[in-house]
Amino acid sequence: MPAPTQAECLVEWANPECDDSNPYNGYWAWGNRWVPGYISNSTWFIAAPIISRGNATFYAPWIMEATAKYRGFDLSDYIDGVALMSPADIGAEVWIKPPLGNWEGPFLVVDCARRGDIWPVIKYYGEIVELGFKTAERWGMAERHSPWRAIRWKEYGVLVSKVPPPFVDQYEIIDYPNWWLEQVEFTYRQEPRPIYRYPSTWRINGEWHTFNHQPICPKSNSVLKLHRQPSYINLSRRK
């Protein structure tokens, strides 16, 4: 195939073959999803709301467990590990409610979306959380055969809460994709890659920040103590 001419490349967003390898003026994610720019570090570190709604997908077997171990987390007190979109949420406890089920948790956030992937996965797929494989298996999204197989890659309308189920009625449910996309800022210069320090500290643009994962109860204006909360799980989830 001949190289595209300059005239054909005047609209890079419409032509994957015109990619100029400069993500700061837009790039193609996975070859077919146009991203209009490269998000800033400050956008990447926008933590999720207390309660939000979006879609869920899942990791392949053992990937979530390996990620938790790599970052120094112990999942033995949790139902599973999960990934939220922002690095700011790594180390947080969350509870999750599938659309036809009850609240489950606590889960531990041990991973996040890559900076270059977060805009397209939220924009085009409406994602809010990626589950560990054993949760996907329990939800009927996958089967652990040899090899394992996906039954459905996405669960729509999942709720993710940073407070235990008895407190969820005190907070507004935020539509995560729309909420996040309204806040996006793109950067037009290279920013330092953040550096992680266990459990919830990051060096961002040369400064260290520790993220507090203890939410404030709006009625009492006091901090909710979340460590080792009772587990909520419904194994007889409706299909």
Side-chain angles (χ1 to χ4, degrees), residues 111-127:
D111 203 8
C112 67
R114 295 192 302 177
R115 185 178 169 193
D117 290 344
I118 184 171
W119 195 94
V121 300
I122 293 175
K123 170 67 175 180
Y124 295 115
Y125 301 122
E127 285 186 19

Side-chain angles (χ1 to χ4, degrees), residues 89-195:
D89 289 317
I90 290 178
E93 296 179 358
V94 296
W95 287 258
I96 303 176
K97 184 181 183 299
L100 297 179
N102 296 325
W103 285 103
E104 299 181 6
F107 297 83
L108 183 64
V109 182
V110 300
D111 203 8
C112 67
R114 295 192 302 177
R115 185 178 169 193
D117 290 344
I118 184 171
W119 195 94
V121 300
I122 293 175
K123 170 67 175 180
Y124 295 115
Y125 301 122
E127 285 186 19
I128 183 176
V129 62
E130 298 194 5
L131 309 167
F133 186 82
K134 67 179 183 179
T135 299
E137 192 175 28
R138 189 175 66 253
W139 286 15
M141 300 174 71
E143 291 181 340
R144 194 184 299 267
H145 293 301
S146 183
W148 67 271
R149 72 183 185 95
I151 298 173
R152 63 182 186 280
W153 276 108
K154 190 176 295 185
E155 188 76 84
Y156 295 88
V158 171
L159 296 180
V160 176
S161 173
K162 294 181 176 179
V163 297
F167 297 94
V168 296
D169 291 341
Q170 301 181 30
Y171 297 88
E172 178 186 2
I173 298 175
I174 303 298
D175 182 276
Y176 183 83
N178 289 333
W179 172 87
W180 190 86
L181 289 167
E182 289 175 353
Q183 303 179 75
V184 170
E185 293 181 351
F186 295 102
T187 182
Y188 300 98
R189 60 181 178 83
Q190 186 174 4
E191 295 181 313
R193 181 172 180 172
I195 297 175

Side-chain angles (χ1 to χ4, degrees), residues 15-96:
N15 301 92
E17 67 273 15
C18 296
D19 187 359
D20 63 3
S21 300
N22 180 4
Y24 298 99
N25 63 15
Y27 60 95
W28 291 95
W30 318 303
N32 62 354
R33 296 293 188 179
W34 177 251
V35 184
Y38 204 65
I39 66 168
S40 64
N41 276 335
S42 60
T43 296
W44 194 26
F45 278 86
I46 297 175
I50 299 299
I51 303 179
S52 48
R53 178 187 284 114
N55 302 329
T57 185
F58 62 90
Y59 280 19
W62 309 117
I63 300 300
M64 194 68 71
E65 292 84 350
T67 302
K69 184 177 181 180
Y70 172 78
R71 288 216 163 93
F73 290 110
D74 181 1
L75 292 177
S76 58
D77 289 337
Y78 298 91
I79 289 178
D80 203 352
V82 296
L84 295 191
M85 298 297 101
S86 174
D89 289 317
I90 290 178
E93 296 179 358
V94 296
W95 287 258
I96 303 176

Side-chain angles (χ1 to χ4, degrees), residues 25 83 123 170 191 205 208 210-211 230 235-236:
N25 63 15
K123 170 67 175 180
Q170 301 181 30
E191 295 181 313
N205 295 337
W208 289 99
T210 297
F211 292 91
L235 295 178
S236 59

Side-chain angles (χ1 to χ4, degrees), residues 189-225:
R189 60 181 178 83
Q190 186 174 4
E191 295 181 313
R193 181 172 180 172
I195 297 175
Y196 173 70
R197 179 184 292 168
Y198 173 89
S200 302
T201 298
W202 291 84
R203 192 175 74 180
I204 308 168
N205 295 337
E207 297 183 359
W208 289 99
H209 300 267
T210 297
F211 292 91
N212 181 3
H213 300 307
Q214 302 292 337
I216 302 296
C217 178
K219 290 187 177 180
S220 63
N221 199 33
S222 60
V223 174
L224 291 174
K225 302 297 184 181

